[in-house]
Amino acid sequence: MRVTVNRKAHFNAAHRLFRPEWTAEKNEAVFGKCSNPNYHGHNYDLVVSVTGEIDPITGFVMDMKLLKDLIKTEIEDVFDHKNLNVDVPEFKDLNPTSENIVVIIWNKLRAKINKAHDLTVTLYETPRNYVSYSGT
Amino acid sequence: MRVTVNRKAHFNAAHRLFRPEWTAEKNEAVFGKCSNPNYHGHNYDLVVSVTGEIDPITGFVMDMKLLKDLIKTEIEDVFDHKNLNVDVPEFKDLNPTSENIVVIIWNKLRAKINKAHDLTVTLYETPRNYVSYSGT
Amino acid sequence: MRVTVNRKAHFNAAHRLFRPEWTAEKNEAVFGKCSNPNYHGHNYDLVVSVTGEIDPITGFVMDMKLLKDLIKTEIEDVFDHKNLNVDVPEFKDLNPTSENIVVIIWNKLRAKINKAHDLTVTLYETPRNYVSYSGT
Amino acid sequence: MRVTVNRKAHFNAAHRLFRPEWTAEKNEAVFGKCSNPNYHGHNYDLVVSVTGEIDPITGFVMDMKLLKDLIKTEIEDVFDHKNLNVDVPEFKDLNPTSENIVVIIWNKLRAKINKAHDLTVTLYETPRNYVSYSGT
Amino acid sequence: MRVTVNRKAHFNAAHRLFRPEWTAEKNEAVFGKCSNPNYHGHNYDLVVSVTGEIDPITGFVMDMKLLKDLIKTEIEDVFDHKNLNVDVPEFKDLNPTSENIVVIIWNKLRAKINKAHDLTVTLYETPRNYVSYSGT
Amino acid sequence: MRVTVNRKAHFNAAHRLFRPEWTAEKNEAVFGKCSNPNYHGHNYDLVVSVTGEIDPITGFVMDMKLLKDLIKTEIEDVFDHKNLNVDVPEFKDLNPTSENIVVIIWNKLRAKINKAHDLTVTLYETPRNYVSYSGT
């Protein structure tokens, strides 16, 4: 009897998409206006989904206050009001596309969540563009 | 060629989280402000998802009017504008966490839906906290 | 050059609508299922709108962090995860309809906001039912 | 390391549900007000979900600009501001239920998307009624 | 002490924009794809806003159940799952633009609502295009 | 008989809040994490509201396609995927708070819209923080 619990969070960040070894022209051709060297930004919305058995005493799969706090310390405190390219070490050599960001977030949370639980992370770059990752 | 049809519904209810055998202090420690003895409440949103083959005559997996009516009689009429702890028999001895509520709703609907169809129920306690259950 | 700044907040609460001097039958006739003696509840969403001149130094009408903190101490800490009828003194003798709640919230905030600013409060009881009040 | 990328789109269209070999009474009995011979309509929202490996150079599963353009030419240009029954050849002999529309959209997109990628299409007829199809 | 109460509703309808005395070319030039002779359609969302004094006995400006029922009989029963051009007499000689629809809806409701109350109607043709009218 | 027509649009941009003549400490004290020298960003949503008489021929207050195009050329092309502080000349010496941005947008649009029409602009920095300006 496995139930999935989901918690929404968000952070606001700047980023740009580019490959440092490419010319400005090639970056513009591949990444379009997302490669603006002066950065642009997003209100990122995040859904963290944890699947597991219901604890028969509490009725919880996982205490949502703990999950909320975990998202705050592991993700929001690190990403919110930051420049992903400049301020977040994981993106020093990794292009901060939504796909790469969602994998980084999944890895950070996976390390802190009970191994008996499955984990999926969904990241909205905009209400029209979003990605999800389950670790496989 | 299996398609999933989804129907949204909602109900407004009061509840509190607590274990009757625990002290007020322990309930407060585990369930926080959700254990307020005077209750608090939510606008619960519900998504019922039914997966099956498309009927070649009607083009329906399941008539959405029938699904809407089923949700009304089985769930909304029982839960809406109610105190889950006091008014709904299933929660007399079961803590009305989102996880336990979604399992109860799934069980009620599973009994009424064609066995050839798969069923998933998603329950939003708030726009930021939600759960889902597929029966396994 | 007056600009309106708006801040959203929310709280979850239980309530019931009734007049203590009426019979159960009359309360049921007037307030319907909202008069359930065991209470029901809502996720209330709140929008606080403050209108004033832009400060030429900061570019702010009002620091949104201060407004956020004010809403937390004056409203959320008092109303969130509470039973409005039982736990909030203002509703001991006042029916907690959306209309009465929004006036109470407006009065609480009006006392704490710069008198040179106009104030409007909008309260969503559900996404389909909401009210607003500007003090006149 | 497979990630799902999702892109939202929309189109506005008229349709009616009916079987031409049935009487008006039988169509009304089965399809209700959806069988109005003069048509009614919807703002259809569409989510196209593509699952695949992240390209290590670009950081993309699929360039979202290409996916956006593909949805425009294959779906929006064909369905938007159209009468599905009259203007879209696929529905000349197929009842344009949400279930049948989502399969048609999936087939159109499947033919144009890298075979190494999985594809799911979700179609909202209204915010309360929606369907999804993954090709199996 | 005047409070505004708002109630959301919706209806799904087909329509087209055109002037019967114009050529197809001129209609296409002015109304674009909205002039498709086979119609297209929308999920129209409606917000009805009524402003008045709070009744000191009930705590209501207006009973929201009565407002909900009034919107159903006056608007939803007449417009839902209809072709506005063909099925709704008011648009036999009036172009069913959002502007004209919102005025028609306002007139229908104004005739049924207490004259001491102010009335505003907001109509969403899509989430991105909407109109409002207050009677002046 | 004046109706308001509203059109939603959006742009994604980076910015930071700071006064160049202040120390880093003072900027941090006043603007908090919004003063991060490396910038952060937002998905800005915009609602442009134009009030005027309905044209009796077309049924339009203003052709929404023209309004959509005007927002694109005047606002989206200038602000989207830009760094407001660096790329937009109006903010070279003006702190890009929501309040200042909404006034700049209003001024740009006011210059292009029929003087017989009233204009209000609403700008969402996040779904929880938004501002509006009507020119007075």
Side-chain angles (χ1 to χ4, degrees):
Chain A
M1 213 168 77
R2 291 170 71 80
V3 169
T4 300
V5 298
N6 306 272
R7 174 73 195 171
K8 273 199 181 177
H10 71 271
F11 57 89
N12 308 322
H15 79 151
R16 67 172 297 216
L17 301 185
F18 77 112
R19 300 275 318 172
E21 73 275 21
W22 288 355
T23 62
E25 289 70 25
K26 180 154 185 192
N27 275 307
E28 166 89 18
V30 173
F31 296 115
K33 55 190 180 180
C34 296
S35 68
N36 177 2
N38 295 324
Y39 309 103
H40 64 285
H42 298 289
N43 303 328
Y44 288 95
D45 278 315
L46 186 67
V47 179
V48 179
S49 305
V50 176
T51 302
E53 299 286 330
I54 301 177
D55 179 304
I57 303 300
T58 59
F60 286 157
V61 167
M62 179 178 177
D63 185 333
M64 292 297 259
K65 293 190 304 297
L66 298 185
L67 182 56
K68 179 185 176 183
D69 291 346
L70 185 64
I71 298 170
K72 182 173 188 313
T73 54
E74 296 297 312
I75 310 300
E76 291 177 340
D77 288 353
V78 179
F79 287 14
D80 189 36
H81 282 75
K82 295 293 169 58
N83 182 312
L84 300 181
N85 302 76
V86 177
D87 295 324
V88 181
E90 283 84 351
F91 300 110
K92 281 289 161 55
D93 298 310
L94 182 68
N95 206 13
T97 59
S98 296
E99 290 93 327
N100 282 332
I101 301 170
V102 81
V103 171
I104 294 292
I105 291 174
W106 189 91
N107 286 339
K108 284 173 171 284
L109 293 174
R110 179 69 282 181
K112 302 285 183 173
I113 286 176
N114 185 337
K115 289 297 174 280
H117 291 156
D118 294 326
L119 174 65
T120 296
V121 176
T122 303
L123 179 74
Y124 289 76
E125 189 175 90
T126 72
R128 295 190 160 263
N129 285 342
Y130 58 100
V131 299
S132 64
Y133 181 58
S134 300
T136 57
Chain B
M1 211 167 78
R2 290 171 72 81
V3 168
T4 300
V5 298
N6 306 271
R7 174 75 196 169
K8 273 198 182 177
H10 71 271
F11 56 90
N12 309 322
H15 79 151
R16 67 171 297 214
L17 302 185
F18 77 112
R19 300 273 321 170
E21 74 274 22
W22 288 356
T23 63
E25 290 68 27
K26 179 154 185 192
N27 274 309
E28 166 89 17
V30 173
F31 297 117
K33 55 189 178 179
C34 295
S35 68
N36 177 2
N38 295 326
Y39 309 103
H40 65 285
H42 299 288
N43 303 327
Y44 289 95
D45 277 316
L46 185 68
V47 180
V48 178
S49 305
V50 176
T51 302
E53 300 286 330
I54 301 177
D55 179 304
I57 303 299
T58 59
F60 287 157
V61 166
M62 178 179 178
D63 184 333
M64 292 295 259
K65 293 190 304 296
L66 297 185
L67 182 55
K68 179 186 176 184
D69 291 346
L70 184 65
I71 298 170
K72 182 174 188 313
T73 54
E74 295 298 312
I75 309 301
E76 292 177 339
D77 287 353
V78 179
F79 286 15
D80 189 36
H81 282 74
K82 296 292 168 58
N83 182 313
L84 299 181
N85 302 76
V86 177
D87 295 324
V88 181
E90 283 85 352
F91 300 111
K92 281 288 161 55
D93 298 311
L94 182 69
N95 206 12
T97 59
S98 296
E99 291 93 325
N100 282 333
I101 302 170
V102 80
V103 171
I104 295 292
I105 292 173
W106 189 91
N107 287 339
K108 285 173 171 282
L109 293 174
R110 179 68 282 181
K112 301 285 184 174
I113 287 177
N114 184 336
K115 290 297 174 281
H117 291 156
D118 294 327
L119 175 66
T120 296
V121 176
T122 302
L123 179 74
Y124 289 76
E125 190 175 89
T126 72
R128 295 191 161 261
N129 285 343
Y130 58 101
V131 300
S132 65
Y133 181 58
S134 300
T136 56
Chain C
M1 212 167 75
R2 291 171 72 82
V3 168
T4 300
V5 298
N6 305 271
R7 174 74 196 169
K8 273 197 181 178
H10 71 270
F11 56 90
N12 308 323
H15 79 151
R16 68 172 295 217
L17 303 185
F18 77 112
R19 300 274 321 170
E21 73 275 20
W22 288 356
T23 62
E25 290 69 27
K26 180 155 186 190
N27 274 309
E28 166 89 17
V30 173
F31 296 116
K33 55 189 179 179
C34 296
S35 68
N36 177 2
N38 295 326
Y39 309 104
H40 65 284
H42 298 289
N43 303 327
Y44 288 95
D45 277 315
L46 186 67
V47 180
V48 178
S49 305
V50 175
T51 302
E53 299 287 329
I54 301 177
D55 178 304
I57 303 300
T58 59
F60 287 156
V61 167
M62 179 178 179
D63 185 333
M64 292 295 259
K65 292 189 305 297
L66 297 184
L67 182 56
K68 179 185 176 183
D69 291 346
L70 185 65
I71 298 170
K72 181 173 188 314
T73 54
E74 295 298 311
I75 310 301
E76 292 177 339
D77 287 353
V78 179
F79 286 14
D80 189 35
H81 281 74
K82 296 292 168 59
N83 183 312
L84 298 182
N85 302 76
V86 177
D87 295 323
V88 181
E90 283 86 350
F91 300 110
K92 281 286 162 56
D93 298 311
L94 181 69
N95 207 11
T97 60
S98 296
E99 291 92 326
N100 282 333
I101 302 171
V102 80
V103 171
I104 294 292
I105 291 174
W106 189 91
N107 287 339
K108 286 173 170 283
L109 293 175
R110 179 68 282 180
K112 302 285 183 174
I113 287 176
N114 184 336
K115 289 297 174 281
H117 292 156
D118 293 327
L119 175 65
T120 296
V121 176
T122 303
L123 179 74
Y124 289 76
E125 190 175 88
T126 72
R128 295 190 161 262
N129 284 344
Y130 59 100
V131 300
S132 66
Y133 180 58
S134 300
T136 57
Chain D
M1 211 168 78
R2 292 169 72 80
V3 168
T4 300
V5 298
N6 305 272
R7 173 75 195 170
K8 272 200 183 178
H10 71 271
F11 57 90
N12 308 321
H15 79 149
R16 67 172 295 217
L17 302 185
F18 77 113
R19 300 272 322 168
E21 73 274 21
W22 287 356
T23 62
E25 289 69 26
K26 180 154 185 194
N27 275 307
E28 167 88 17
V30 174
F31 297 116
K33 56 189 180 179
C34 296
S35 68
N36 176 3
N38 295 326
Y39 309 104
H40 65 283
H42 298 289
N43 303 327
Y44 289 95
D45 277 316
L46 186 67
V47 179
V48 178
S49 304
V50 176
T51 302
E53 299 287 330
I54 301 178
D55 178 304
I57 303 300
T58 60
F60 287 155
V61 166
M62 179 179 178
D63 185 333
M64 292 296 259
K65 293 190 303 297
L66 297 185
L67 182 56
K68 179 186 176 183
D69 291 346
L70 184 65
I71 297 170
K72 182 173 189 312
T73 54
E74 295 298 312
I75 310 301
E76 292 176 340
D77 288 353
V78 179
F79 286 14
D80 188 36
H81 281 75
K82 295 294 168 58
N83 182 312
L84 299 181
N85 302 75
V86 177
D87 295 324
V88 181
E90 282 85 352
F91 299 110
K92 280 288 161 56
D93 297 311
L94 182 68
N95 206 13
T97 59
S98 296
E99 291 92 326
N100 283 332
I101 302 171
V102 79
V103 171
I104 294 291
I105 291 174
W106 189 92
N107 286 338
K108 286 173 169 283
L109 293 174
R110 179 69 283 181
K112 302 284 183 174
I113 286 177
N114 185 336
K115 289 296 173 283
H117 292 155
D118 293 327
L119 174 65
T120 296
V121 176
T122 302
L123 179 73
Y124 289 76
E125 190 174 88
T126 73
R128 295 190 161 261
N129 284 343
Y130 58 101
V131 299
S132 65
Y133 181 57
S134 299
T136 56
Chain E
M1 211 167 77
R2 291 170 73 80
V3 168
T4 300
V5 297
N6 306 271
R7 174 75 195 169
K8 272 199 183 179
H10 71 271
F11 56 90
N12 309 321
H15 80 150
R16 66 172 296 216
L17 303 185
F18 77 112
R19 300 276 317 173
E21 72 275 21
W22 288 355
T23 62
E25 289 70 26
K26 180 154 184 192
N27 275 307
E28 166 89 18
V30 173
F31 297 116
K33 55 191 180 180
C34 296
S35 69
N36 177 3
N38 295 325
Y39 310 104
H40 65 285
H42 298 289
N43 302 327
Y44 287 95
D45 277 316
L46 186 68
V47 179
V48 178
S49 304
V50 175
T51 302
E53 299 287 331
I54 300 178
D55 179 303
I57 304 299
T58 59
F60 287 156
V61 167
M62 179 179 178
D63 185 333
M64 291 297 258
K65 292 191 304 297
L66 296 185
L67 182 56
K68 179 185 177 184
D69 291 346
L70 184 64
I71 298 171
K72 181 172 189 313
T73 54
E74 296 298 311
I75 310 300
E76 292 177 340
D77 287 353
V78 179
F79 287 14
D80 188 36
H81 281 74
K82 295 294 168 59
N83 183 311
L84 299 181
N85 302 76
V86 177
D87 295 324
V88 182
E90 283 85 351
F91 299 111
K92 281 289 161 53
D93 297 310
L94 182 69
N95 206 13
T97 60
S98 296
E99 291 92 326
N100 282 334
I101 301 170
V102 80
V103 171
I104 294 291
I105 291 174
W106 188 92
N107 286 338
K108 285 173 171 282
L109 294 174
R110 180 68 284 180
K112 302 285 183 174
I113 287 176
N114 184 338
K115 290 297 173 283
H117 292 155
D118 294 326
L119 175 65
T120 296
V121 176
T122 302
L123 179 73
Y124 288 76
E125 190 175 88
T126 72
R128 295 190 161 262
N129 285 342
Y130 58 101
V131 300
S132 65
Y133 180 59
S134 299
T136 56
Chain F
M1 213 168 75
R2 291 171 71 83
V3 169
T4 300
V5 298
N6 305 272
R7 173 76 196 170
K8 274 199 182 177
H10 70 270
F11 57 89
N12 309 321
H15 80 151
R16 67 172 295 216
L17 302 185
F18 77 112
R19 300 272 323 170
E21 73 275 20
W22 287 356
T23 63
E25 290 69 26
K26 180 153 184 192
N27 274 308
E28 167 88 17
V30 174
F31 297 115
K33 56 190 178 178
C34 296
S35 68
N36 176 3
N38 295 325
Y39 309 103
H40 65 284
H42 298 289
N43 303 328
Y44 288 95
D45 277 315
L46 185 69
V47 179
V48 178
S49 304
V50 176
T51 302
E53 299 286 330
I54 301 177
D55 179 303
I57 303 300
T58 59
F60 287 156
V61 167
M62 179 179 178
D63 185 334
M64 292 295 259
K65 292 189 305 297
L66 296 185
L67 182 55
K68 179 185 176 184
D69 291 346
L70 184 65
I71 297 170
K72 182 173 189 311
T73 54
E74 296 298 311
I75 309 301
E76 292 177 339
D77 288 353
V78 179
F79 286 15
D80 189 36
H81 282 74
K82 296 293 168 59
N83 183 312
L84 299 181
N85 302 76
V86 177
D87 295 324
V88 181
E90 282 85 352
F91 299 110
K92 281 288 161 54
D93 298 311
L94 182 69
N95 205 12
T97 60
S98 296
E99 291 92 325
N100 282 334
I101 302 170
V102 79
V103 171
I104 295 291
I105 291 173
W106 189 92
N107 286 339
K108 285 173 171 281
L109 292 175
R110 179 69 283 180
K112 301 285 183 174
I113 287 176
N114 185 335
K115 289 296 174 285
H117 292 156
D118 293 328
L119 175 66
T120 296
V121 176
T122 302
L123 180 73
Y124 289 76
E125 189 175 88
T126 72
R128 294 190 162 263
N129 285 343
Y130 58 99
V131 300
S132 64
Y133 181 57
S134 299
T136 56

